Amino acid sequence: MTLTFTLDPQIDTALHEALLDLWTDASNAGGAVGFVPPVVRDDIRPQLIKQLGMIADGQMRLLVGHDEDGLAAVAFLGLNRHALMGHWIWLHTVMVHPDRQGRGHGRRLMAASADCARAMEGVEAIRLSCRGGMGLEHFYAACGYKEVGRVPGAIRVAPGDDRDDITMLLPLH
């Protein structure tokens, strides 16, 4: 299945709704994308609006991947505005639709995100944070990222279920 990536697509109503559906479906499938299932679209909507506002303000960029069935993968690239940290970006809310997982879309999304970052003037690395206890750090390591930090128990998904917040780094040179 072919995956076509677009950086900074026009965010119209159709894309807004597709992003909302993808984020809801990924969350309900157990994806570590900021929510704990079960969720409905209205649970996700405020965070999506916040991130779309950051795009409009030039603080974030959006990378989308489409296949013949529609929106399949998404990553938000967070730009650093701090004068001493502009040489790296954050990768946020990395998602592949649950129905399309296992096809290599995640690796292609990570490679496309790195290609986009390399094309940004002065960007030398990508940082991301992931939830421990899910094996995500192994996936990101397979994509070239190195674990550079871990805060034990920083993410509380439920009472008595605290997870590590793991920081990963991908040097781009």
Side-chain angles (χ1 to χ4, degrees), residues 100-115:
R100 284 136 162 146
Q101 291 181 359
R103 301 178 188 176
H105 285 4
R107 286 182 189 266
R108 286 193 283 283
L109 176 62
M110 297 306 292
S113 297
D115 289 344

Side-chain angles (χ1 to χ4, degrees), residues 4-172:
T4 304
F5 290 100
T6 306
L7 180 64
D8 302 326
Q10 179 180 350
I11 302 171
D12 57 13
T13 301
L15 180 56
H16 182 105
E17 295 301 310
L19 288 165
L20 193 56
D21 288 340
L22 172 56
W23 204 336
T24 303
D25 291 345
S27 296
N28 283 326
V33 288
F35 297 90
V36 177
V39 296
V40 295
R41 291 165 48 99
D42 286 340
D43 296 326
I44 305 292
R45 189 181 316 276
Q47 185 61 37
L48 175 60
I49 290 169
K50 178 182 175 184
Q51 288 185 214
L52 293 177
M54 293 174 75
I55 291 168
D57 290 343
Q59 300 173 51
M60 193 172 271
R61 298 180 76 179
L62 175 62
L63 177 65
V64 297
H66 285 88
D67 61 18
E68 46 273 2
D69 294 324
L71 184 64
V74 173
F76 291 82
L77 290 76
L79 308 177
N80 255 317
R81 296 295 181 211
H82 191 285
L84 303 178
M85 297 182 192
H87 61 288
W88 59 269
I89 64 168
W90 280 103
L91 194 58
H92 298 281
T93 322
V94 176
M95 301 181 278
V96 172
H97 194 280
D99 292 345
R100 284 136 162 146
Q101 291 181 359
R103 301 178 188 176
H105 285 4
R107 286 182 189 266
R108 286 193 283 283
L109 176 62
M110 297 306 292
S113 297
D115 289 344
C116 290
R118 282 185 191 94
M120 295 178 191
E121 186 175 340
V123 174
E124 300 172 9
I126 302 173
R127 282 175 62 176
L128 62 80
S129 177
C130 65
R131 184 187 304 171
M134 303 185 74
L136 295 170
E137 66 272 28
H138 304 297
F139 167 73
Y140 293 122
C143 294
Y145 285 75
K146 304 279 187 245
E147 182 175 329
V148 296
R150 182 180 288 252
V151 180
I155 301 170
R156 179 160 292 158
V157 295
D161 187 1
D162 294 347
R163 309 286 179 89
D164 294 354
D165 182 10
I166 304 166
T167 302
M168 309 284 294
L169 181 75
L170 177 69
L172 296 173

